[in-house]
């Protein structure tokens, strides 16, 4: 890693360019220029990711786009992955790192730098030492540093520079110039621009060195004065822009021909560089632009606001709203900026720019209240899952819209309607959403193109929310159709972010089909999100969580763990109770499926708390309650489970899921007959169920109850019925969660029509720690070696005989036995056997 | 941290002309030999803003001092 740390105008960027031109030969370059006054870490990281992808040839077609719910660490991880995946040596160059300043990014950048893959290099250029913990790299000898003194021109180099520019200056003159500028690159560059074609270079240098003005100020004024008027006007009037093209410059100077001047300035190496390959957009060196801006304020102070206004108008016209808002703010036209931002806030939201809006909001002076901004605040809060403040801001926005003239009111109303819908959906307020989407029945109408576009946006948002809420609250089949329509419309009107939103929700909604279909839909949605760089963001979360859930239900725990982790990461930027509820339930069944009932209890408890924050009834309410009760019962907390059960409303209490949980409680209390009675309404189809998984569970619980009662044949039949139902999706989780392993092991393979599934289930159940019994878990999980020894303890084999059975030494067996006693907290072999039976640790094959 | 603005003097190398002084509207400038001393009441974030400007314009930062308010010399009221 290399760091170039030196003051403004030291020649850092020039050095990087010269080096980049000379590099090559199997070395790939990813160059990131940090934007002036970079406000948010999101733009920075997306720029880094985009540059790295372009360098590796991975992402030329689809540059990563902004999202309202950006997550820095996830993007940094993707950058690392791209770097690691590069075929060749790759060098990431970050210029003007100091501009990142308050935007943060330092901790993730430090992590990136300290975990670089072997063939990746980084070059940083900055005006001051960054707040990155670089000492480790320094100590490891992996950091090369270039500082101001290294970049300074020597006297000899000063002479070479003058010669190369065709300037004839005496040795004494060159020495004077070098002394006065102290070898500072920008000073020498400005001087050579003034000296080129100067009638009397010696006098220029003498006057310069006799002045006690600061080098930059003196030389910039001199240089500017020596330019033709049209160049002076162009430099002064366009320096306010972060980047400029010919058309925009013509507009600001009020005369044509700007593009030619910009090209000439770049060719003369006069602090102007093009930023695109076609050389249509240019930017000024930062130091140069800063000096020019002061010069502008000095020479033409009254024109500054007007220049900003004209630039804003151009950007508005060209659909670059964010730039337009920035310039309107800079013109001091706060009311205008607020109005402009509010007018486009809805569109920016649909394109995933909530974070940028947050930055623009912060630029407004505190105290001055612009009612238009309430709408923007509502969006920013809503996208982060902060539903209460979002609702409050939305109410203000609504009141404000009423006071506006009809045309504007119509536009604001569309945005407000869409936000109200999204808010109602995220609050779980079904009736609210259904009320608000009635307009979907009528086709999009409008007098202008804008009206029609707005109508389509609103329609797509409505379909997203309607479909989502239908899936969440009702489990209705229309949900999928509405989400598909929403996705198609979003694609048609060029709103990819909205399309991904619809498809990710569709993943969840498709649970009414087979698990295989659901998994397929989720993977499709995630793949589309990934193409836009959104696969680790809240927008993808519904698909990520649903996929983790499907994999958990089908016993593919290892893969499920990975998706669950990704979903949790994606949701760090979204605290909304709706999607978090789904994450908690999925994490809960994942833990329960692996026999970690204490962890599952935590997840299900959290899920119940989140559910309480939602306004309406949600489709997962009975499932979430049922899981919590059953887990409490499995952990021996039957009193708590009973208390919880008593607190449930009638609707939930009579659901199949909660009936199943009641059976678990009764079994834990030793009342197998009661458990069978509780399951009656589930098995005969009277109790409403969320899906057939509840029936599978009910049959298994009935099997366990029959077994307790000594009805071996009924138990076997119940298990067979569960297997039959589970066959189509190859469902595995309920067999583990209910602790049905012994029940299944008692079935002779030749007596079941589902021997294949049975074998699969048993192999999954044996591969992971089995469900803990009511007595609570052992102090620590037994190791595989200990488990092997444990299973011989009920036999009458002696330790040497066990050792010979297992082909290990007697010492090893003794060590394992001591360890087993300690972990099970028992004192002898028979107590260990009893305890192991309680914990269902003995069921495995020998 | 200083919650209230304090008086700072910032010394930079060279004489700052009218143009560059536009970057420091909140400070008074005084020439001091070959240097310029900028003085003004700044809170912490304003101070760092000024230092950022000094850096951005490639100026030579020589010294930053906070003029600590001394004890009241004129004798406040109520002193017996």
């Amino acid at each position: 890693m290399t760091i170039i740390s030196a003051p403004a105008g030291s020649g850092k960027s020039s050095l990087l360019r010269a080096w980049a031109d000379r590099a090559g030969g199997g070395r790939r370059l990813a160059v990131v220029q940090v934007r002036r006054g970079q406000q948010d870490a999101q733009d920075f990281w997306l720029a880094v990711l985009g540059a790295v992808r372009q360098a590796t040839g991975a992402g030329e077609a689809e540059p990563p786009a902004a999202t309202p719910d950006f997550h820095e660490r996830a993007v940094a991880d993707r950058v690392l992955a791209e770097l690691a995946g590069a075929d060749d040596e790759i060098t990431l160059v970050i210029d003007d790192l100091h501009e990142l300043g308050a935007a943060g990014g330092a901790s993730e950048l430090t992590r990136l730098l300290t975990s670089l893959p072997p063939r990746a290099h980084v070059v940083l250029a900055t005006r001051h030492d960054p707040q990155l913990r670089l000492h480790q790299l320094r100590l490891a000898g992996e950091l090369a540093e270039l500082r101001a003194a290294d970049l300074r021109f020597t006297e000899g180099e000063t002479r070479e520079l003058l010669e190369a520019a065709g300037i004839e200056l005496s040795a004494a003159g060159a020495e004077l110039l070098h002394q006065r500028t102290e070898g500072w690159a920008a000073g020498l560059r400005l001087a050579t621009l003034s000296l080129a074609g100067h009638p009397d270079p010696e006098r220029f240098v003498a006057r310069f060195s006799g002045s006690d003005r600061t080098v930059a100020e003196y030389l910039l004024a001199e240089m500017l004065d020596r330019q033709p008027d049209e160049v002076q006007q162009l430099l002064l009037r366009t320096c306010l822009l972060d980047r400029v093209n010919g058309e925009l410059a013509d507009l600001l100077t009020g005369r044509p021909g700007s593009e030619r001047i910009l090209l000439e300035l770049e060719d003369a190496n006069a602090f102007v560089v093009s930023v695109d390959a076609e050389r249509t957009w240019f930017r000024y060196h930062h130091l140069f632009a800063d000096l020019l801006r002061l010069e502008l304020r000095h020479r033409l102070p009254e024109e500054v606001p007007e220049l900003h206004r004209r630039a804003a108008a151009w950007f508005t016209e060209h659909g670059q709203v964010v730039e337009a808002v920035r310039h309107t703010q800079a013109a001091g036209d706060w009311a205008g900026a607020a109005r402009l931002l509010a007018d486009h806030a809805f569109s920016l939201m649909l394109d995933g720019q909530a974070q940028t809006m947050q930055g623009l909001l912060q630029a407004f002076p505190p105290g001055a209240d612009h009612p238009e901004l309430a709408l923007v605040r509502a969006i920013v809060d809503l996208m982060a899952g902060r539903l209460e403040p979002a609702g409050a801001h939305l109410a203000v926005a609504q009141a404000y819209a009423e006071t506006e003239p009809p045309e504007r009111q119509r536009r604001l109303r569309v945005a407000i309607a869409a936000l109200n819908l999204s808010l109602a959906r995220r609050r779980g307020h079904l009736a609210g959403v259904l009320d608000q989407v009635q307009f979907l029945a009528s086709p999009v109408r409008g007098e202008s193109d804008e009206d029609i576009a707005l109508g389509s946006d609103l329609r797509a948002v409505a379909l997203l929310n309607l479909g989502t809420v239908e899936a969440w609250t009702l489990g209705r089949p229309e949900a999928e159709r509405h989400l598909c329509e929403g996705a198609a419309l979003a694609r048609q009107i060029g709103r990819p972010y909205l399309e991904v939103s619809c498809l990710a929700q569709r993943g969840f909604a498709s649970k009414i089909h087979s698990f295989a279909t659901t998994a397929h839909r989720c993977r499709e949605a995630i793949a589309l999100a990934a193409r836009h760089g959104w696969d680790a963001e809240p927008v993808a979360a519904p698909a990520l969580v649903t996929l983790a859930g499907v994999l958990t239900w089908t016993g593919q725990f290892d893969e499920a763990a990975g998706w669950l982790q990704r979903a949790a990461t994606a949701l760090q930027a979204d605290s909304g109770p709706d999607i978090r509820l789904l994450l908690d339930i999925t994490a809960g069944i994942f833990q329960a499926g692996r026999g970690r009932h204490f962890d599952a209890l935590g997840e299900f408890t959290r899920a119940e708390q989140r559910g309480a924050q939602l306004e309406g009834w949600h489709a997962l309410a009975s499932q979430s309650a049922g899981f919590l009760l059953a887990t409490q019962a499995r952990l021996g907390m039957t009193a708590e489970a009973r208390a919880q059960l008593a607190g449930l409303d009638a609707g939930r209490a009579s659901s199949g899921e909660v009936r199943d949980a009641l059976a678990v409680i009764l079994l834990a209390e030793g009342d197998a007959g009661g458990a069978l009675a509780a399951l009656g309404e589930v098995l005969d189809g009277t109790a409403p169920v969320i899906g057939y998984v509840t029936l599978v569970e009910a049959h298994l619980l009935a099997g366990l109850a029959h077994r307790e009662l000594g009805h071996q044949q009924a138990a076997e039949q119940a298990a067979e019925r569960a297997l039959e139902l589970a066959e189509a999706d190859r469902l595995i989780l309920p067999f583990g969660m209910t602790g049905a392993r012994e029940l299944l092991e008692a079935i002779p393979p030749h007596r079941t029509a589902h021997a294949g599934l049975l074998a699969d289930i048993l192999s999954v159940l044996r591969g992971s720690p089995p469900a803990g019994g009511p007595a609570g878990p052992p102090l620590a999980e037994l190791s595989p070696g200990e488990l092997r020894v444990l299973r011989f303890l009920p036999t009458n084999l002696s330790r040497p005989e066990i050792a010979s059975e297992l082909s290990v030494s007697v010492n090893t067996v003794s060590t394992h036995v001591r360890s087993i006693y300690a972990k099970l907290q028992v004192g002898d072999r028979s107590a260990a056997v009893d305890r192991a039976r309680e914990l269902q640790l003995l069921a495995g094959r020998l | 941290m200083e919650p209230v603005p304090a008086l700072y003097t910032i010394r930079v190398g060279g004489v700052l002309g009218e143009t560059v002084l536009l970057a420091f509207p909140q400070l008074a400038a005084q020439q001091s030999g070959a240097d310029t001393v900028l003085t003004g009441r700044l809170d912490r974030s304003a101070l760092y803003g000024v230092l950022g400007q000094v850096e951005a314009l490639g100026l030579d930062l020589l010294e930053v001092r906070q003029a600590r308010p001394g004890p009241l010399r004129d004798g406040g009221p109520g002193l017996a």
Side-chain angles (χ1 to χ4, degrees):
Chain A
M1 166 172 163
T2 305
I3 181 162
I4 308 171
S5 185
S10 294
K12 300 180 292 293
S13 301
S14 304
L15 173 67
L16 284 174
R17 259 200 315 283
W19 172 79
D21 288 346
R22 229 177 291 169
R27 176 182 278 265
R28 291 168 183 275
L29 275 185
V31 182
V32 178
Q33 175 86 47
V34 183
R35 275 195 16 203
R36 171 188 279 275
Q38 179 70 274
Q39 294 260 329
D40 58 38
Q42 173 174 24
D43 284 354
F44 169 71
W45 280 106
L46 288 176
V48 172
L49 180 61
V52 171
R53 278 196 184 164
Q54 203 165 24
T56 56
E60 275 147 9
E62 302 263 7
T67 62
D69 32 33
F70 155 80
H71 187 255
E72 195 179 331
R73 190 181 179 97
V75 184
D77 279 337
R78 284 218 295 277
V79 170
L80 273 174
E82 295 277 352
L83 287 173
D87 300 332
D88 305 306
E89 299 268 318
I90 181 162
T91 303
L92 170 63
V93 178
I94 303 176
D95 194 7
D96 286 334
L97 182 67
H98 57 270
E99 293 284 351
L100 196 56
S107 66
E108 283 308 308
L109 197 54
T110 301
R111 195 167 65 85
L112 181 92
L113 296 175
T114 46
S115 40
L116 278 181
R119 294 204 298 173
H121 311 272
V122 172
V123 181
L124 302 177
T126 172
R127 283 182 183 170
H128 50 245
D129 289 355
Q131 292 167 10
L132 307 172
R133 295 182 297 278
L134 297 175
H135 49 273
Q136 275 166 292
L137 289 169
R138 208 172 267 144
L139 285 175
E142 298 209 17
L143 181 67
E145 291 180 84
L146 289 174
R147 309 193 68 86
D150 304 306
L151 295 178
R152 194 162 288 160
F153 278 62
T154 64
E155 219 178 301
E157 286 162 349
T158 304
R159 276 197 300 275
E160 282 176 44
L161 178 74
L162 293 168
E163 269 167 42
I167 295 160
E168 290 187 21
L169 199 61
S170 66
E175 191 190 334
L176 212 53
L177 184 63
H178 179 254
Q179 272 173 9
R180 182 69 175 90
T181 58
E182 296 174 311
W184 184 47
L188 287 169
R189 191 67 230 155
L190 280 167
T192 52
L193 287 171
S194 292
L195 284 167
H198 197 286
D200 190 352
E202 302 293 339
R203 200 167 66 89
F204 176 90
V205 173
R207 258 188 41 217
F208 171 40
S209 64
S211 154
D212 47 11
R213 287 267 214 97
T214 57
V215 173
E217 185 179 13
Y218 182 95
L219 288 175
L220 180 88
E222 286 293 322
M223 192 280 275
L224 212 51
D225 285 340
R226 287 197 45 80
Q227 301 299 321
D229 182 56
E230 51 171 7
V231 177
Q232 275 190 39
Q233 293 301 322
L234 179 124
L235 289 174
L236 285 173
R237 285 161 189 272
T238 61
C239 64
L240 291 169
L241 301 165
D242 285 341
R243 50 184 200 132
V244 62
N245 65 14
E247 188 186 325
L248 190 47
D250 286 349
L251 179 76
L252 295 183
T253 56
R255 59 176 124 189
S258 301
E259 182 162 359
R260 179 184 48 80
I261 300 176
L262 287 164
L263 287 167
E264 283 169 9
L265 285 169
E266 184 180 23
D267 292 339
N269 199 5
F271 299 96
V272 177
V273 279
S274 51
V275 293
D276 55 351
E278 295 79 30
R279 295 182 79 197
T280 54
W281 282 95
F282 300 84
R283 70 170 189 88
Y284 299 124
H285 277 207
H286 290 180
L287 169 69
F288 188 66
D290 282 331
L291 289 166
L292 279 175
R293 286 174 192 186
L294 292 175
E295 202 65 51
L296 169 70
R297 282 165 55 191
H298 183 53
R299 296 191 190 190
L300 308 165
E302 68 291 345
E303 289 197 29
V304 174
E306 177 55 24
L307 288 170
H308 277 301
R309 262 196 293 275
R310 271 196 241 168
W314 190 90
F315 282 119
T316 308
E317 201 181 311
H318 289 78
Q320 298 182 37
V321 179
V322 174
E323 286 294 299
V325 173
R326 284 196 183 121
H327 281 289
T328 311
Q329 289 178 327
D333 180 6
W334 300 108
R339 175 175 291 249
L340 187 63
L341 180 55
D343 280 353
H344 293 89
F346 179 47
S347 180
L348 289 170
M349 174 186 97
L350 296 184
D351 288 338
Q353 301 240 35
Q355 241 209 5
T356 310
M357 281 194 268
Q358 168 105 57
L360 292 173
L361 273 181
Q362 282 164 353
F364 283 92
D369 191 42
H370 301 284
E372 298 94 327
L373 294 180
L375 179 70
V376 187
R377 297 205 167 93
I379 291 174
V380 169
D381 284 334
L382 181 64
M383 291 318 241
R386 295 187 296 264
L387 307 186
E388 286 316 306
H393 288 308
L394 200 52
V396 177
Q398 215 150 356
Y400 163 75
E402 303 300 326
T403 67
E404 286 295 284
E407 194 194 331
R408 193 171 144 74
Q409 200 179 94
R410 216 167 43 236
R411 190 188 303 171
L412 291 175
R413 272 194 181 153
V414 169
I416 290 167
L419 288 174
N420 266 322
L421 256 174
S422 300
L423 186 61
R425 183 257 291 182
R426 298 218 56 182
R427 280 175 167 162
H429 187 21
L430 168 69
V433 174
L434 293 180
D435 269 0
Q436 291 171 42
V437 297
Q438 301 194 354
F439 70 89
L440 278 173
S442 47
V444 176
R445 276 174 293 122
E447 285 151 25
S448 64
D449 288 353
E450 191 200 338
D451 280 352
I452 292 171
L454 267 176
S456 300
D457 282 345
L458 180 58
R459 210 178 169 78
V461 171
L463 287 165
L464 165 67
N465 285 305
L466 175 62
T468 303
V469 95
E470 281 168 340
W472 268 83
T473 55
L474 308 166
R476 279 196 198 161
E478 301 97 282
E480 244 204 306
R481 182 166 56 79
H482 286 138
L483 288 168
C484 285
E485 278 176 30
L489 180 57
R491 188 164 48 244
Q492 191 189 325
I493 59 177
R495 298 279 192 195
Y497 184 77
L498 202 49
E499 186 189 353
V500 170
S501 304
C502 288
L503 292 178
Q505 290 289 0
R506 184 192 179 203
F508 174 75
S510 62
K511 273 207 270 196
I512 54 166
H513 302 297
S514 72
F515 280 160
T517 309
T518 308
H520 180 65
R521 299 267 157 84
C522 289
R523 285 184 204 276
E524 273 179 352
I526 294 165
L528 180 66
R531 276 208 289 285
H532 293 281
W534 298 328
D535 55 324
E537 319 243 339
V539 66
L544 293 169
V545 187
T546 304
L547 182 55
V550 167
L551 293 166
T552 302
W553 281 108
T554 50
Q556 301 169 71
F557 294 118
D558 290 342
E559 201 191 338
W563 292 108
L564 207 51
Q565 183 54 49
R566 284 179 62 173
T569 305
L571 282 175
Q572 282 177 11
D574 189 339
S575 55
D578 49 351
I579 185 66
R580 295 247 167 180
L581 163 76
L582 183 61
L583 178 67
D584 292 335
I585 294 181
T586 309
I589 58 171
F590 174 80
Q591 299 293 7
R594 304 202 124 183
R596 296 184 201 132
H597 290 287
F598 272 117
D599 294 329
L601 180 67
E603 301 290 353
F604 292 139
T605 306
R606 261 195 297 282
E608 277 292 279
Q609 287 160 357
R610 304 228 207 251
Q613 292 173 39
L614 295 173
E615 279 180 24
W617 189 81
H618 64 93
L620 303 176
S622 58
Q623 197 175 41
S624 148
F627 284 147
L628 176 60
L629 297 178
T631 305
Q632 285 172 327
R634 289 188 181 112
L635 288 166
M637 300 158 62
T638 46
E640 286 87 339
R642 285 274 179 196
Q644 190 90 21
L645 178 64
L648 292 180
D649 57 87
R652 290 220 269 178
S654 60
S655 70
E657 291 71 36
V658 173
R659 309 290 301 175
D660 279 0
L662 175 59
V664 178
I665 297 171
L666 288 161
L667 279 170
E669 291 168 345
D671 182 1
L676 278 177
L679 292 167
E681 287 181 13
V682 188
L683 295 172
D684 68 15
T686 3
V689 294
I690 188 173
Y692 80 96
V693 294
T694 307
L695 290 180
V696 173
E697 202 177 77
H699 282 296
L700 289 172
L701 293 169
L704 291 173
H706 284 304
R707 197 174 143 86
E708 284 298 314
L709 296 169
H711 307 153
Q712 194 49 48
Q713 201 184 347
E716 210 175 289
Q717 276 166 1
E720 179 68 9
R721 185 80 187 103
L723 285 169
E724 195 180 317
L725 284 170
E727 178 76 57
D729 275 334
R730 301 197 78 74
L731 195 65
I732 286 179
L733 182 73
F735 298 89
M737 267 178 97
T738 51
R741 182 167 162 181
E742 285 182 54
L743 180 67
L744 296 179
E745 281 173 337
I747 303 176
H750 65 270
R751 282 229 297 272
T752 169
H754 309 280
L757 176 62
L758 179 61
D760 282 356
I761 293 170
L762 287 174
S763 100
V764 171
L765 296 190
R766 285 166 186 150
S768 53
L779 281 184
E781 272 176 14
L782 300 189
S783 72
E786 289 160 359
L787 281 173
R788 275 194 294 276
V789 172
L790 176 71
R791 285 170 193 154
F792 282 94
L793 297 188
T795 66
N796 54 11
L797 295 182
S798 67
R799 287 188 187 188
E801 288 168 323
I802 296 173
S804 102
E805 276 293 324
L806 291 173
S807 310
V808 296
S809 73
V810 181
N811 269 342
T812 303
V813 172
S814 298
T815 310
H816 283 329
V817 168
R818 274 198 302 278
S819 177
I820 290 165
Y821 290 2
K823 284 180 180 175
L824 299 181
Q825 293 179 282
V826 293
D828 61 36
R829 188 163 168 169
S830 68
V833 170
D834 289 344
R835 182 93 174 95
R837 279 223 172 86
E838 280 174 46
L839 291 169
Q840 307 181 12
L841 291 175
L842 291 171
R845 286 176 303 190
L846 289 180
Chain B
M1 288 300 276
E2 291 284 332
V4 286
L7 195 65
Y8 283 94
T9 60
I10 298 153
R11 181 180 288 265
V12 293
V15 175
L16 306 194
E18 277 175 58
T19 304
V20 167
L21 284 177
L22 284 173
F24 306 103
Q26 70 279 54
L27 300 175
Q30 209 174 7
Q31 209 173 309
S32 164
D35 306 332
T36 302
V37 177
L38 301 166
T39 309
R41 203 161 272 284
L42 303 167
D43 64 11
R44 277 298 162 100
S45 62
L47 173 67
Y48 282 106
V50 167
L51 296 180
Q53 281 284 3
V54 168
E55 180 188 49
L57 296 170
L59 299 176
D60 209 2
L61 179 65
L62 300 176
E63 183 186 61
V64 181
R65 306 180 70 143
Q66 190 192 97
R68 293 223 168 258
L72 283 178
R73 297 241 168 89
D74 302 335
L79 285 177

